[in-house]
Amino acid sequence: MAADNNYSLGPVPMAARKGVVSLTMVMLGLTFFSASMWTGGSLGIGLSFDDFFLAVVIGNLILGIYTSFLGYIGASTGLSTHLLARFSFGIKGSWLPSALLGGTQVGWFGVGVAMFAIPVHKATGIDTNILIVVSGLLMTVTVYFGMSALMILSAIAVPAIAILGGYSVIDAIASVGGVTAIKAVEPEVTIDFSVAVAMVVGSFVSAGTLTADFVRFGKKPANAVLVTMVAFFIGNSLMFIFGAAGAAATGQADISEVMIAQGLLIPAIIVLGLNIWTTNDNALYASGLGFSNITGLPSKYISMVNGVIGTLCALWLYNNFVGWLTFLSLAIPPIGGVIIADFMVNRNHYKDFAKAEFKTVNWAGIIAVAIGVACGHFLPGVVPLNAVLGGALSYLIINPILNKKRVADTQPA
């Protein structure tokens, strides 16, 4: 266990906990992602100026609150999402959320590699397959070193993306007459406001469910909440603003494409590469933790294998699997809802992981996830929020019915 610096099968000891600044860089590295810019670009041309900012604020506030709950639980226990799932899903029952979360992260890793290679090929003429292999393997190598590598990479990437991207967006806005000119633009095809909020929340609710994997390294739960809110409320909002401003000014949502249009080829490649690299390494790291929970093997070796698989399948995933990954992502929010609900009512069970007793399969958790997915699909409103609340509330009702003895054990004498 001492050799497993990812602490994939047990809690992170206090001696290995990290400071606020380091964790903030890691989490901002996660949320600084091109896909958020694309969604921001879609919202920017589909909403009025005021409605865009309102949707971004509301959506990322919901996302920030949801992930902060998970961050608090992660830092309180030192446990990854997948080990936390053992309490609410059972040991073998937790394999379901681990496989779902881990599998989708491998898929998004492959998509991310292609998202880097394809535009760089168009801009430079370098063969796409070469770009995929080189970038995919580089991203895979860094994840071997775990949280330490994520911190170093994020400390470089986050300021670079913010500074270079910010300069490019400001220049693009100035070139079309400033903010006043952009505010005057009316959307040709309007996006419904509730759909817009759902797009904001949905942009990162999948990866956000894995928040505990990263902030479990926090020294204090309150610090974990702060880090998480900064990343998802401020960091993700910044990506939406970059995307909307770029789309309004140049017709391109991804800041790297805006920079290419401005003749800033090398900075564009740097920003695009760092943007995807940080998020992809976080995804690969989280996928290793998920499959480690299933296999009992150290996560860093599993992450390496996942990186090779994602790299080899990158173009296929990009061309054929994005819709399927999006569909799978609908099942992920209720998992977070169930974990939060169980921690709220069974907190005493989380105090000593080594002595904790788990069911083999807790059907209450699995049924609650199914109900959460149904709530997200059929109820009106914000789909991811309905899914989280549906999963959490149904678990609070079903678990006491199916597990009367365990609930009785939690009651004070």
mmCIF file of all heavy atoms in Angstrom, residues 21-32 150-166 230-231 235 238-239 242 271 274-275 278-279 282:
data_model
loop_
_atom_site.group_PDB
_atom_site.id
_atom_site.type_symbol
_atom_site.label_atom_id
_atom_site.label_comp_id
_atom_site.label_asym_id
_atom_site.label_seq_id
_atom_site.Cartn_x
_atom_site.Cartn_y
_atom_site.Cartn_z
ATOM 1 N N VAL A 21 -3.528 25.982 -2.798
ATOM 2 C CA VAL A 21 -3.079 26.485 -4.103
ATOM 3 C C VAL A 21 -2.841 25.339 -5.077
ATOM 4 O O VAL A 21 -3.290 25.385 -6.236
ATOM 5 C CB VAL A 21 -1.793 27.332 -3.950
ATOM 6 C CG1 VAL A 21 -1.257 27.740 -5.323
ATOM 7 C CG2 VAL A 21 -2.078 28.573 -3.106
ATOM 8 N N SER A 22 -2.154 24.301 -4.628
ATOM 9 C CA SER A 22 -1.865 23.157 -5.503
ATOM 10 C C SER A 22 -3.145 22.489 -5.981
ATOM 11 O O SER A 22 -3.302 22.185 -7.175
ATOM 12 C CB SER A 22 -0.992 22.136 -4.765
ATOM 13 O OG SER A 22 0.251 22.680 -4.420
ATOM 14 N N LEU A 23 -4.085 22.258 -5.068
ATOM 15 C CA LEU A 23 -5.337 21.610 -5.449
ATOM 16 C C LEU A 23 -6.180 22.500 -6.354
ATOM 17 O O LEU A 23 -6.870 22.006 -7.254
ATOM 18 C CB LEU A 23 -6.132 21.225 -4.199
ATOM 19 C CG LEU A 23 -5.567 20.067 -3.377
ATOM 20 C CD1 LEU A 23 -6.440 19.814 -2.156
ATOM 21 C CD2 LEU A 23 -5.461 18.799 -4.216
ATOM 22 N N THR A 24 -6.132 23.807 -6.121
ATOM 23 C CA THR A 24 -6.871 24.736 -6.988
ATOM 24 C C THR A 24 -6.351 24.658 -8.418
ATOM 25 O O THR A 24 -7.130 24.651 -9.385
ATOM 26 C CB THR A 24 -6.757 26.181 -6.471
ATOM 27 O OG1 THR A 24 -7.298 26.248 -5.151
ATOM 28 C CG2 THR A 24 -7.521 27.144 -7.373
ATOM 29 N N MET A 25 -5.040 24.584 -8.586
ATOM 30 C CA MET A 25 -4.454 24.468 -9.926
ATOM 31 C C MET A 25 -4.906 23.179 -10.607
ATOM 32 O O MET A 25 -5.243 23.170 -11.795
ATOM 33 C CB MET A 25 -2.929 24.499 -9.841
ATOM 34 C CG MET A 25 -2.326 25.842 -9.483
ATOM 35 S SD MET A 25 -2.627 27.112 -10.743
ATOM 36 C CE MET A 25 -3.733 28.196 -9.827
ATOM 37 N N VAL A 26 -4.924 22.075 -9.840
ATOM 38 C CA VAL A 26 -5.352 20.797 -10.408
ATOM 39 C C VAL A 26 -6.803 20.872 -10.863
ATOM 40 O O VAL A 26 -7.156 20.434 -11.972
ATOM 41 C CB VAL A 26 -5.177 19.657 -9.388
ATOM 42 C CG1 VAL A 26 -5.841 18.371 -9.877
ATOM 43 C CG2 VAL A 26 -3.703 19.401 -9.135
ATOM 44 N N MET A 27 -7.663 21.423 -10.016
ATOM 45 C CA MET A 27 -9.085 21.478 -10.352
ATOM 46 C C MET A 27 -9.367 22.465 -11.485
ATOM 47 O O MET A 27 -10.249 22.228 -12.312
ATOM 48 C CB MET A 27 -9.896 21.841 -9.104
ATOM 49 C CG MET A 27 -9.905 20.741 -8.038
ATOM 50 S SD MET A 27 -10.543 19.158 -8.638
ATOM 51 C CE MET A 27 -12.275 19.575 -8.879
ATOM 52 N N LEU A 28 -8.633 23.580 -11.537
ATOM 53 C CA LEU A 28 -8.782 24.494 -12.663
ATOM 54 C C LEU A 28 -8.285 23.834 -13.947
ATOM 55 O O LEU A 28 -8.855 24.036 -15.031
ATOM 56 C CB LEU A 28 -8.026 25.800 -12.411
ATOM 57 C CG LEU A 28 -8.665 26.772 -11.427
ATOM 58 C CD1 LEU A 28 -7.727 27.942 -11.150
ATOM 59 C CD2 LEU A 28 -10.004 27.296 -11.960
ATOM 60 N N GLY A 29 -7.222 23.038 -13.820
ATOM 61 C CA GLY A 29 -6.742 22.288 -14.978
ATOM 62 C C GLY A 29 -7.802 21.335 -15.501
ATOM 63 O O GLY A 29 -7.915 21.106 -16.713
ATOM 64 N N LEU A 30 -8.605 20.778 -14.605
ATOM 65 C CA LEU A 30 -9.705 19.909 -15.004
ATOM 66 C C LEU A 30 -10.781 20.684 -15.746
ATOM 67 O O LEU A 30 -11.262 20.264 -16.802
ATOM 68 C CB LEU A 30 -10.301 19.229 -13.769
ATOM 69 C CG LEU A 30 -11.567 18.392 -13.985
ATOM 70 C CD1 LEU A 30 -11.262 17.155 -14.826
ATOM 71 C CD2 LEU A 30 -12.174 17.975 -12.645
ATOM 72 N N THR A 31 -11.171 21.841 -15.212
ATOM 73 C CA THR A 31 -12.301 22.578 -15.787
ATOM 74 C C THR A 31 -11.925 23.447 -16.985
ATOM 75 O O THR A 31 -12.801 23.868 -17.729
ATOM 76 C CB THR A 31 -12.981 23.457 -14.725
ATOM 77 O OG1 THR A 31 -12.019 24.355 -14.149
ATOM 78 C CG2 THR A 31 -13.590 22.610 -13.625
ATOM 79 N N PHE A 32 -10.632 23.733 -17.170
ATOM 80 C CA PHE A 32 -10.201 24.461 -18.367
ATOM 81 C C PHE A 32 -10.178 23.463 -19.522
ATOM 82 O O PHE A 32 -9.197 22.758 -19.746
ATOM 83 C CB PHE A 32 -8.801 25.056 -18.154
ATOM 84 C CG PHE A 32 -8.780 26.360 -17.414
ATOM 85 C CD1 PHE A 32 -9.860 26.775 -16.650
ATOM 86 C CD2 PHE A 32 -7.677 27.193 -17.474
ATOM 87 C CE1 PHE A 32 -9.838 27.977 -15.955
ATOM 88 C CE2 PHE A 32 -7.640 28.401 -16.792
ATOM 89 C CZ PHE A 32 -8.732 28.794 -16.031
ATOM 90 N N LEU A 150 0.101 15.951 -11.892
ATOM 91 C CA LEU A 150 -1.072 16.779 -12.193
ATOM 92 C C LEU A 150 -0.878 18.187 -11.648
ATOM 93 O O LEU A 150 -1.268 19.172 -12.295
ATOM 94 C CB LEU A 150 -2.329 16.151 -11.591
ATOM 95 C CG LEU A 150 -2.813 14.819 -12.182
ATOM 96 C CD1 LEU A 150 -4.075 14.360 -11.469
ATOM 97 C CD2 LEU A 150 -3.060 14.925 -13.672
ATOM 98 N N MET A 151 -0.289 18.299 -10.464
ATOM 99 C CA MET A 151 -0.072 19.615 -9.853
ATOM 100 C C MET A 151 0.936 20.436 -10.642
ATOM 101 O O MET A 151 0.721 21.628 -10.900
ATOM 102 C CB MET A 151 0.392 19.444 -8.405
ATOM 103 C CG MET A 151 -0.693 18.954 -7.460
ATOM 104 S SD MET A 151 -0.084 18.723 -5.780
ATOM 105 C CE MET A 151 -1.596 18.240 -4.952
ATOM 106 N N ILE A 152 2.047 19.814 -11.052
ATOM 107 C CA ILE A 152 3.067 20.534 -11.808
ATOM 108 C C ILE A 152 2.524 20.968 -13.164
ATOM 109 O O ILE A 152 2.687 22.123 -13.586
ATOM 110 C CB ILE A 152 4.322 19.645 -11.989
ATOM 111 C CG1 ILE A 152 4.981 19.381 -10.633
ATOM 112 C CG2 ILE A 152 5.311 20.287 -12.949
ATOM 113 C CD1 ILE A 152 6.073 18.331 -10.676
ATOM 114 N N LEU A 153 1.872 20.037 -13.855
ATOM 115 C CA LEU A 153 1.307 20.349 -15.172
ATOM 116 C C LEU A 153 0.275 21.463 -15.084
ATOM 117 O O LEU A 153 0.278 22.403 -15.887
ATOM 118 C CB LEU A 153 0.681 19.080 -15.757
ATOM 119 C CG LEU A 153 0.032 19.202 -17.142
ATOM 120 C CD1 LEU A 153 1.065 19.604 -18.192
ATOM 121 C CD2 LEU A 153 -0.632 17.880 -17.530
ATOM 122 N N SER A 154 -0.598 21.383 -14.086
ATOM 123 C CA SER A 154 -1.650 22.397 -13.938
ATOM 124 C C SER A 154 -1.081 23.760 -13.566
ATOM 125 O O SER A 154 -1.595 24.790 -13.999
ATOM 126 C CB SER A 154 -2.658 21.942 -12.877
ATOM 127 O OG SER A 154 -3.297 20.742 -13.260
ATOM 128 N N ALA A 155 -0.005 23.769 -12.755
ATOM 129 C CA ALA A 155 0.621 25.035 -12.364
ATOM 130 C C ALA A 155 1.194 25.767 -13.573
ATOM 131 O O ALA A 155 1.267 27.004 -13.592
ATOM 132 C CB ALA A 155 1.726 24.770 -11.341
ATOM 133 N N ILE A 156 1.589 25.019 -14.601
ATOM 134 C CA ILE A 156 2.069 25.631 -15.847
ATOM 135 C C ILE A 156 0.911 26.000 -16.754
ATOM 136 O O ILE A 156 0.856 27.087 -17.324
ATOM 137 C CB ILE A 156 3.019 24.646 -16.581
ATOM 138 C CG1 ILE A 156 4.253 24.352 -15.735
ATOM 139 C CG2 ILE A 156 3.420 25.203 -17.947
ATOM 140 C CD1 ILE A 156 5.095 23.207 -16.260
ATOM 141 N N ALA A 157 -0.040 25.077 -16.884
ATOM 142 C CA ALA A 157 -1.102 25.227 -17.882
ATOM 143 C C ALA A 157 -2.120 26.306 -17.524
ATOM 144 O O ALA A 157 -2.524 27.089 -18.391
ATOM 145 C CB ALA A 157 -1.815 23.883 -18.073
ATOM 146 N N VAL A 158 -2.560 26.338 -16.274
ATOM 147 C CA VAL A 158 -3.657 27.243 -15.901
ATOM 148 C C VAL A 158 -3.308 28.712 -16.138
ATOM 149 O O VAL A 158 -4.067 29.432 -16.790
ATOM 150 C CB VAL A 158 -4.091 26.988 -14.436
ATOM 151 C CG1 VAL A 158 -5.016 28.088 -13.940
ATOM 152 C CG2 VAL A 158 -4.772 25.626 -14.329
ATOM 153 N N PRO A 159 -2.157 29.216 -15.647
ATOM 154 C CA PRO A 159 -1.817 30.614 -15.941
ATOM 155 C C PRO A 159 -1.626 30.868 -17.436
ATOM 156 O O PRO A 159 -2.030 31.924 -17.943
ATOM 157 C CB PRO A 159 -0.508 30.836 -15.172
ATOM 158 C CG PRO A 159 -0.467 29.776 -14.134
ATOM 159 C CD PRO A 159 -1.154 28.605 -14.736
ATOM 160 N N ALA A 160 -1.003 29.905 -18.151
ATOM 161 C CA ALA A 160 -0.767 30.089 -19.592
ATOM 162 C C ALA A 160 -2.077 30.218 -20.357
ATOM 163 O O ALA A 160 -2.224 31.092 -21.219
ATOM 164 C CB ALA A 160 0.057 28.919 -20.135
ATOM 165 N N ILE A 161 -3.046 29.349 -20.049
ATOM 166 C CA ILE A 161 -4.340 29.390 -20.727
ATOM 167 C C ILE A 161 -5.067 30.695 -20.403
ATOM 168 O O ILE A 161 -5.635 31.349 -21.286
ATOM 169 C CB ILE A 161 -5.201 28.185 -20.322
ATOM 170 C CG1 ILE A 161 -4.556 26.888 -20.808
ATOM 171 C CG2 ILE A 161 -6.620 28.315 -20.878
ATOM 172 C CD1 ILE A 161 -5.160 25.629 -20.193
ATOM 173 N N ALA A 162 -5.058 31.084 -19.118
ATOM 174 C CA ALA A 162 -5.761 32.299 -18.709
ATOM 175 C C ALA A 162 -5.155 33.546 -19.353
ATOM 176 O O ALA A 162 -5.884 34.413 -19.850
ATOM 177 C CB ALA A 162 -5.718 32.422 -17.186
ATOM 178 N N ILE A 163 -3.823 33.631 -19.391
ATOM 179 C CA ILE A 163 -3.159 34.829 -19.921
ATOM 180 C C ILE A 163 -3.262 34.894 -21.451
ATOM 181 O O ILE A 163 -3.710 35.894 -22.023
ATOM 182 C CB ILE A 163 -1.681 34.870 -19.479
ATOM 183 C CG1 ILE A 163 -1.600 35.069 -17.960
ATOM 184 C CG2 ILE A 163 -0.935 35.995 -20.190
ATOM 185 C CD1 ILE A 163 -0.202 34.866 -17.390
ATOM 186 N N LEU A 164 -2.852 33.815 -22.128
ATOM 187 C CA LEU A 164 -2.877 33.812 -23.593
ATOM 188 C C LEU A 164 -4.311 33.859 -24.122
ATOM 189 O O LEU A 164 -4.617 34.600 -25.064
ATOM 190 C CB LEU A 164 -2.160 32.572 -24.128
ATOM 191 C CG LEU A 164 -0.644 32.510 -23.906
ATOM 192 C CD1 LEU A 164 -0.091 31.155 -24.339
ATOM 193 C CD2 LEU A 164 0.052 33.638 -24.661
ATOM 194 N N GLY A 165 -5.189 33.057 -23.500
ATOM 195 C CA GLY A 165 -6.586 33.055 -23.921
ATOM 196 C C GLY A 165 -7.257 34.388 -23.668
ATOM 197 O O GLY A 165 -8.013 34.891 -24.504
ATOM 198 N N GLY A 166 -6.983 34.975 -22.493
ATOM 199 C CA GLY A 166 -7.569 36.276 -22.171
ATOM 200 C C GLY A 166 -7.134 37.350 -23.138
ATOM 201 O O GLY A 166 -7.951 38.160 -23.604
ATOM 202 N N VAL A 230 -14.205 27.410 -6.636
ATOM 203 C CA VAL A 230 -13.369 28.219 -7.531
ATOM 204 C C VAL A 230 -13.267 27.561 -8.895
ATOM 205 O O VAL A 230 -13.405 28.213 -9.941
ATOM 206 C CB VAL A 230 -11.964 28.428 -6.927
ATOM 207 C CG1 VAL A 230 -11.005 29.011 -7.961
ATOM 208 C CG2 VAL A 230 -12.031 29.350 -5.713
ATOM 209 N N ALA A 231 -13.033 26.245 -8.907
ATOM 210 C CA ALA A 231 -12.842 25.536 -10.168
ATOM 211 C C ALA A 231 -14.105 25.504 -11.010
ATOM 212 O O ALA A 231 -14.076 25.816 -12.208
ATOM 213 C CB ALA A 231 -12.361 24.111 -9.892
ATOM 214 N N GLY A 235 -13.749 28.909 -12.727
ATOM 215 C CA GLY A 235 -12.986 28.359 -13.844
ATOM 216 C C GLY A 235 -13.852 27.953 -15.021
ATOM 217 O O GLY A 235 -13.574 28.311 -16.171
ATOM 218 N N LEU A 238 -15.302 30.936 -16.809
ATOM 219 C CA LEU A 238 -14.327 31.601 -17.674
ATOM 220 C C LEU A 238 -14.255 30.929 -19.039
ATOM 221 O O LEU A 238 -14.179 31.599 -20.078
ATOM 222 C CB LEU A 238 -12.947 31.593 -17.010
ATOM 223 C CG LEU A 238 -11.832 32.349 -17.739
ATOM 224 C CD1 LEU A 238 -12.170 33.831 -17.858
ATOM 225 C CD2 LEU A 238 -10.494 32.167 -17.012
ATOM 226 N N MET A 239 -14.307 29.595 -19.060
ATOM 227 C CA MET A 239 -14.280 28.879 -20.345
ATOM 228 C C MET A 239 -15.514 29.193 -21.172
ATOM 229 O O MET A 239 -15.432 29.341 -22.398
ATOM 230 C CB MET A 239 -14.192 27.370 -20.098
ATOM 231 C CG MET A 239 -12.872 26.894 -19.512
ATOM 232 S SD MET A 239 -11.431 27.264 -20.538
ATOM 233 C CE MET A 239 -10.779 28.736 -19.692
ATOM 234 N N PHE A 242 -14.962 32.703 -22.598
ATOM 235 C CA PHE A 242 -14.016 32.627 -23.706
ATOM 236 C C PHE A 242 -14.716 32.141 -24.976
ATOM 237 O O PHE A 242 -14.548 32.690 -26.063
ATOM 238 C CB PHE A 242 -12.873 31.662 -23.367
ATOM 239 C CG PHE A 242 -11.755 32.280 -22.571
ATOM 240 C CD1 PHE A 242 -11.894 33.514 -21.961
ATOM 241 C CD2 PHE A 242 -10.551 31.608 -22.403
ATOM 242 C CE1 PHE A 242 -10.868 34.079 -21.215
ATOM 243 C CE2 PHE A 242 -9.503 32.160 -21.670
ATOM 244 C CZ PHE A 242 -9.669 33.397 -21.065
ATOM 245 N N VAL A 271 -1.838 26.625 -26.122
ATOM 246 C CA VAL A 271 -3.063 26.731 -25.328
ATOM 247 C C VAL A 271 -3.939 25.501 -25.516
ATOM 248 O O VAL A 271 -4.446 24.921 -24.545
ATOM 249 C CB VAL A 271 -3.838 28.017 -25.694
ATOM 250 C CG1 VAL A 271 -5.255 27.968 -25.121
ATOM 251 C CG2 VAL A 271 -3.106 29.236 -25.157
ATOM 252 N N LEU A 274 -2.169 22.400 -23.777
ATOM 253 C CA LEU A 274 -2.241 22.442 -22.315
ATOM 254 C C LEU A 274 -3.681 22.283 -21.830
ATOM 255 O O LEU A 274 -3.944 21.622 -20.816
ATOM 256 C CB LEU A 274 -1.653 23.761 -21.806
ATOM 257 C CG LEU A 274 -0.143 23.937 -21.978
ATOM 258 C CD1 LEU A 274 0.272 25.341 -21.538
ATOM 259 C CD2 LEU A 274 0.628 22.888 -21.177
ATOM 260 N N ASN A 275 -4.621 22.900 -22.553
ATOM 261 C CA ASN A 275 -6.031 22.836 -22.205
ATOM 262 C C ASN A 275 -6.509 21.388 -22.145
ATOM 263 O O ASN A 275 -7.139 20.948 -21.171
ATOM 264 C CB ASN A 275 -6.823 23.607 -23.280
ATOM 265 C CG ASN A 275 -8.138 24.124 -22.769
ATOM 266 O OD1 ASN A 275 -8.689 23.577 -21.825
ATOM 267 N ND2 ASN A 275 -8.651 25.158 -23.401
ATOM 268 N N THR A 278 -4.296 18.838 -19.464
ATOM 269 C CA THR A 278 -4.651 18.847 -18.042
ATOM 270 C C THR A 278 -5.949 18.089 -17.787
ATOM 271 O O THR A 278 -6.042 17.278 -16.858
ATOM 272 C CB THR A 278 -4.785 20.289 -17.515
ATOM 273 O OG1 THR A 278 -5.638 21.033 -18.390
ATOM 274 C CG2 THR A 278 -3.429 20.966 -17.435
ATOM 275 N N THR A 279 -6.968 18.337 -18.610
ATOM 276 C CA THR A 279 -8.246 17.655 -18.422
ATOM 277 C C THR A 279 -8.102 16.169 -18.709
ATOM 278 O O THR A 279 -8.650 15.324 -17.988
ATOM 279 C CB THR A 279 -9.326 18.262 -19.332
ATOM 280 O OG1 THR A 279 -9.438 19.652 -19.043
ATOM 281 C CG2 THR A 279 -10.676 17.599 -19.094
ATOM 282 N N ASN A 282 -6.397 14.309 -15.869
ATOM 283 C CA ASN A 282 -7.350 14.142 -14.772
ATOM 284 C C ASN A 282 -8.309 12.994 -15.070
ATOM 285 O O ASN A 282 -8.634 12.183 -14.196
ATOM 286 C CB ASN A 282 -8.131 15.437 -14.529
ATOM 287 C CG ASN A 282 -7.369 16.434 -13.686
ATOM 288 O OD1 ASN A 282 -7.334 16.358 -12.473
ATOM 289 N ND2 ASN A 282 -6.724 17.383 -14.347
#
